[in-house]
Amino acid sequence: GAGVSQSPSNKVTEKGKDVELRCDPISGHTALYWYRQSLGQGLEFLIYFQGNSAPDKSGLPSDRFSAERTGGSVSTLTIQRTQQEDSAVYLCASFLDANTGELFFGEGSRLTVL
Amino acid sequence: GENVEQHPSTLSVQEGDSAVIKCTYSDSASNYFPWYKQELGKGPQLIIDIRSNVGEKKDQRIAVTLNKTAKHFSLHITETQPEDSAVYFCAASGGSYIPTFGRGTSLIVHP
């Protein structure tokens, strides 16, 4: 596709349920990021994938959060046993290379935990 | 790690006025400073960026300045228009290629 695609755009779930959020980056972009945007907050880094290297998971807030990237393309962010404080917009971005520096963001997945 | 502070959190101006948003960073190794604009319901989009080897960059009505010594950089928007209303984020990154973002500034341009 022309841009970064995220699904679902909206997800409402009950506390304690697991959720999966999907990101389809721009074709050819080797790096992929997940950020979290809570109400009134900035963009909180979660995880970074670069090519075949081990991902940088330093931003994941707890062991309930995990992410994988299959075949160097599509990524899935999984939140287990969701809590109300997990409610936020989860943004995915892809990145071509350091020469440009630009991150291309998707429109995000809005998660609401009741 | 890097820490980016952004001010103000909200900025209200009249159409045609100028708007200035300021950011400071903590890590002297940071060398890339982008600015993103986020419209309602959309993902952030890059509007301008600056690298540490220059002090100022301009693109039509927007400009960014960088003071490496003081570790601060600013976004300047001149002749503001209602369509400039959005949330603006500054960011800083270095060799890790993981940008650290500020908390955002909600810019409101009144017609």
Side-chain angles (χ1 to χ4, degrees):
Chain A
V4 177
S5 178
Q6 292 189 245
S7 61
S9 55
N10 275 287
K11 176 71 176 179
V12 180
T13 191
E14 293 180 346
K15 177 181 172 181
K17 301 282 190 181
D18 297 352
V19 297
E20 285 190 350
L21 307 176
R22 175 189 167 105
C23 173
D24 202 339
I26 294 172
S27 178
H29 284 199
T30 59
L32 185 150
Y33 303 75
W34 284 98
Y35 281 86
R36 178 168 71 176
Q37 184 174 22
S38 303
L39 189 63
Q41 301 296 310
L43 302 175
E44 177 190 5
F45 166 72
L46 297 178
I47 188 168
Y48 164 61
F49 296 89
Q50 171 58 62
N52 295 321
S53 302
D56 183 328
K57 305 179 182 179
S58 59
L60 295 179
S62 78
D63 59 7
R64 297 187 295 104
F65 288 72
S66 63
E68 62 177 22
R69 189 179 186 192
T70 54
S73 180
V74 172
S75 177
T76 302
L77 177 69
T78 301
I79 310 173
Q80 296 178 310
R81 305 181 301 282
T82 52
Q83 304 294 311
Q84 288 185 332
E85 60 263 29
D86 298 335
S87 296
V89 175
Y90 290 82
L91 290 162
C92 174
S94 69
F95 172 80
L96 179 59
D97 59 41
N99 290 326
T100 65
E102 180 176 0
L103 266 61
F104 293 83
F105 283 89
E107 295 197 338
S109 292
R110 179 177 296 278
L111 175 65
T112 303
V113 182
L114 302 177
Chain B
E2 176 65 277
N3 182 49
V4 177
E5 299 285 340
Q6 182 173 349
H7 300 280
S9 57
T10 306
L11 180 58
S12 183
V13 300
Q14 288 296 127
E15 182 176 0
D17 288 350
S18 294
V20 180
I21 303 170
K22 299 182 179 182
C23 290
T24 60
Y25 62 99
S26 60
D27 188 349
S28 57
S30 289
N31 57 15
Y32 176 65
F33 307 93
W35 287 87
Y36 287 81
K37 176 183 181 182
Q38 185 178 30
E39 297 177 340
L40 199 60
K42 304 286 187 181
Q45 185 170 12
L46 182 74
I47 55 170
I48 194 167
D49 57 11
I50 191 167
R51 296 187 183 273
S52 58
N53 57 346
V54 298
E56 184 173 359
K57 184 176 178 180
K58 189 173 181 180
D59 183 3
Q60 299 182 359
R61 295 186 297 109
I62 59 173
V64 58
T65 58
L66 171 66
N67 183 325
K68 284 180 58 181
T69 303
K71 296 198 191 72
H72 66 71
F73 56 113
S74 301
L75 177 72
H76 305 253
I77 306 174
T78 59
E79 301 171 31
T80 53
Q81 300 168 4
E83 52 264 38
D84 294 330
S85 296
V87 178
Y88 292 80
F89 291 96
C90 63
S93 67
S96 71
Y97 303 127
I98 299 175
T100 299
F101 285 84
R103 290 199 167 196
T105 296
S106 178
L107 174 64
I108 302 165
V109 181
H110 299 279

